[in-house]
Amino acid sequence: MNTIDDLIARPLADLGATDTVAVSVRFAQAEAAFVAELGRASKEGRWEDIRDRWMRPQGQCILDRIDSNWVQSTPATLRQYAQLELQRLRAFIGIRLFASAPLQAETSDSVEGAFKNLRIAFDKEIAGCTDATDLGVSSIAWLGRTSGVIKLVGDNWLKPAKPEVKRAVGQALNELKAHVEAALESRRAEIESAAEQTALAREREDLSLPGVVRPLGSRHPLRQTFEEIERIFLSLGYTVVSGPEMETPYYNFEALNIPEHHPARDNMDTFYMAAPLGAAPLLLRTHTSPMQVRTMEKQKPPVRIIVPGKVYRRDNPDATHGFMFHQIEGLAVDTGITFCDFKGTVEYFVREFLGPKVKTRLRPSYFPFTEPSVEVDATCVFCGGKGCNVCKQSGWIELFGAGMVDPAVYGFVNYDAKKFSGFAFGLGVERLTQLKYNINDLQLYFQNDVRFLRQFA
Ligand code: FA5
């Protein structure tokens, strides 16, 4: 292993010290060598040998050789740094030699003066500490158990002190130790809080950065149709009500003038629930019309309601059929409601929903609960009425079924059929949405393919 004399004989660059870290390592080696030598020499009572070897004579001592061999030969870029390291080493060695020399103090005043020098040296050193590593080094240098300055002072000043100053030395040493400990602690707190502030400043949120873009969902096309239809009828003074999807045959059929074995049940034959013995059977409602009866049972005219909701039928799924689909029922009952009111309402709705150019026509039809009954057709939205594949060249598209409420239905809800009249309609939400957006397959609504759904965002 190289001795310190070998080391300082060679320029720093030869020792591989070509950056600040490597330079610091070499100075730390020199410091460690000094501490070891001083420790050995002090035990043998020859601390002066170390002083003479490291600090005197001028030009020959180790510190001066370090200056000429290491600092002066260092390239300009690193020289200033090496100079600072040397300065630090000088202070380190100086203070230890000072603490190793016997205390020349006859009075308490001179004791105080000696300790004041130590305190000044310590305060200067601690003020130069900029991080936790510096603090650690200073802490060991002053409080270290084997060669810290406080230990040296205890060994070299207190132990051999003359009786008349011993007490003063002991007290001053205690004060110095307390000062060193307190100052190290408060400097540590300062450095930690400064580091925290810096970290906080670094981590502060940059509000100018673009945010995280989260894909937004959109309303399902059927929901959009619901909302559009509700908007139109709310503007006409209708209210929105909802009813049960599980119905009794009475509300789904009988009260709507569709008795058992009536052929009109055939195309609605549906999903029945197994009912407990004696309980009324239940079925999944096949249309929203039961809510006509349920509403009129509860409410005297005037009635103006729409009923959006799910319905179920035993239909095979295809491009225009589902076994579950949506309807919006409409019902208006009051005194003096005529077929003209019905026609005006239907025309207004179709124009609002499909656009002002669309014309409507009424075709005779049949529903057991309306009389007369009609199918409402609109001029084809795809060809404008000229005839195309969608409208099978007819120029017309079937929209929904409707009619004037059959007086037989009023009989089930105790309305006076001579006094009140009204109309009802049942819109198929999937079909109306198909027409509005030119969707060729009803099954697309329920397949959850975002490529389809995104088109309605
Ligand atoms: C009825 O359900 C009557 N309750 C409508 C009504 C109400 C008439 C009030 C008079 C007064 P219909 O079975 O035609 O009628 O069905 C109404 C609409 O539901 C149809 O025009 C169609 O748009 C839609 N629809 C019927 N079956 C299906 C199905 N399987 N899939 C999707 N839509 C359907």
Side-chain angles (χ1 to χ4, degrees):
M1 201 170 74
N2 286 330
T3 64
I4 187 67
D5 297 273
D6 293 338
L7 274 180
I8 61 171
R10 296 163 63 193
L12 277 178
D14 277 14
L15 298 168
T18 51
D19 60 30
T20 53
V21 176
V23 168
S24 292
V25 168
R26 290 305 179 188
F27 276 93
Q29 264 180 300
E31 187 180 296
F34 166 78
V35 170
E37 284 185 22
L38 180 67
R40 276 196 302 273
S42 296
K43 269 192 201 125
E44 294 157 16
R46 345 172 254 103
W47 70 273
E48 290 104 326
D49 293 354
I50 303 303
R51 178 196 61 198
D52 294 346
R53 183 168 140 71
W54 283 77
M55 293 195 98
R56 300 171 182 172
Q58 237 187 357
Q60 301 296 308
C61 69
I62 292 182
L63 285 178
D64 286 351
R65 276 187 283 153
I66 286 180
D67 189 13
S68 56
N69 296 349
W70 279 7
V71 178
Q72 301 311 325
S73 69
T74 300
T77 45
L78 266 185
R79 195 172 312 134
Q80 204 182 356
Y81 185 79
Q83 254 156 2
L84 280 175
E85 283 285 347
L86 177 57
Q87 214 174 314
R88 216 184 50 76
L89 183 62
R90 261 186 214 286
F92 180 89
I93 289 175
I95 204 81
R96 270 164 182 72
L97 290 173
F98 180 60
S100 300
L103 181 63
Q104 308 287 352
E106 305 295 328
T107 64
S108 310
D109 282 354
S110 46
V111 169
E112 205 178 290
F115 274 93
K116 198 171 168 197
N117 286 341
L118 284 178
R119 189 188 270 244
I120 290 170
F122 169 77
D123 287 346
K124 201 170 159 198
E125 182 175 323
I126 194 105
C129 289
T130 54
D131 58 23
T133 314
D134 286 353
L135 267 187
V137 170
S138 286
S139 174
I140 291 169
W142 285 81
L143 299 171
R145 284 193 189 177
T146 48
S147 57
V149 175
I150 299 292
K151 165 86 166 94
L152 292 180
V153 171
D155 288 349
N156 303 319
W157 290 8
L158 180 63
K159 276 186 196 159
K162 291 183 186 134
E164 58 273 24
V165 291
K166 190 150 194 155
R167 204 187 136 110
V169 175
Q171 198 177 334
L173 179 57
N174 282 342
E175 279 169 16
L176 176 67
K177 189 173 176 215
H179 172 73
V180 167
E181 285 170 346
L184 278 168
E185 199 41 54
S186 81
R187 188 80 185 113
R188 188 186 316 281
E190 272 171 32
I191 288 174
E192 271 169 14
S193 106
E196 215 168 273
Q197 293 302 324
T198 319
L200 274 180
R202 206 181 310 122
E203 284 161 17
R204 198 171 44 215
E205 278 185 31
D206 181 353
L207 297 180
S208 67
L209 286 175
V212 179
V213 181
R214 296 183 203 286
L216 271 187
S218 61
R219 287 169 308 148
H220 192 278
L222 293 180
R223 169 73 22 222
Q224 295 188 30
T225 300
F226 270 121
E227 288 176 7
E228 173 67 0
I229 295 174
E230 285 169 16
R231 183 192 65 76
I232 295 168
F233 282 101
L234 286 173
S235 76
L236 290 173
Y238 285 67
T239 50
V240 180
V241 297
S242 59
E245 286 175 30
M246 300 261 275
E247 263 301 359
T248 61
Y250 174 78
Y251 285 111
N252 199 76
F253 297 123
E254 275 112 71
L256 287 167
N257 204 25
I258 315 174
E260 219 175 344
H261 310 303
H262 190 288
R265 283 201 188 190
D266 289 355
N267 67 349
M268 289 199 191
D269 223 355
T270 186
F271 304 100
Y272 285 86
M273 308 292 126
L277 210 60
L282 290 172
L283 59 111
L284 287 172
R285 68 179 177 192
T286 58
H287 50 175
T288 42
S289 300
M291 277 307 288
Q292 290 186 27
V293 180
R294 284 183 179 277
T295 307
M296 288 191 283
E297 268 180 352
K298 283 205 211 110
Q299 187 184 331
K300 291 287 160 215
V303 172
R304 276 184 188 74
I305 54 151
I306 54 168
V307 189
K310 286 192 177 70
V311 300
Y312 304 83
R313 285 188 200 176
R314 207 196 54 184
D315 283 347
N316 289 329
D318 63 21
T320 50
H321 290 82
F323 53 82
M324 183 283 296
F325 57 100
H326 299 84
Q327 288 187 340
I328 296 183
E329 190 79 9
L331 175 71
V333 182
D334 206 344
T335 47
I337 290 194
T338 66
F339 199 85
C340 290
D341 299 314
F342 162 62
K343 194 164 178 280
T345 304
V346 163
E347 276 175 7
Y348 173 77
F349 162 68
V350 173
R351 256 188 287 122
E352 281 287 305
F353 186 71
L354 291 177
K357 287 192 188 136
V358 176
K359 291 195 176 58
T360 46
R361 77 174 181 190
L362 304 180
R363 253 183 316 114
S365 183
Y366 172 75
F367 296 101
F369 39 93
T370 46
E371 180 61 32
S373 302
V374 297
E375 286 292 338
V376 181
D377 292 348
T379 43
C380 177
V381 284
F382 304 109
C383 62
K386 291 191 191 84
C388 67
N389 285 343
V390 182
C391 62
K392 299 193 185 87
Q393 311 305 330
S394 71
W396 294 94
I397 289 187
E398 186 183 310
L399 288 186
F400 54 89
M404 300 303 287
V405 178
D406 192 310
V409 176
Y410 294 138
F412 287 94
V413 295
N414 288 330
Y415 274 17
D416 183 348
K418 292 203 181 74
K419 200 165 154 201
F420 299 113
S421 58
F423 58 85
F425 52 86
L427 313 174
V429 177
E430 278 77 1
R431 301 260 179 93
L432 286 178
T433 310
Q434 277 184 285
L435 283 176
K436 185 157 173 139
Y437 298 111
N438 193 9
I439 297 167
N440 60 9
D441 187 354
L442 181 145
Q443 302 305 322
L444 286 165
Y445 297 129
F446 308 113
Q447 288 165 347
N448 277 343
D449 186 335
V450 288
R451 289 169 303 176
F452 168 72
L453 297 171
R454 227 179 248 139
Q455 299 173 64
F456 306 92

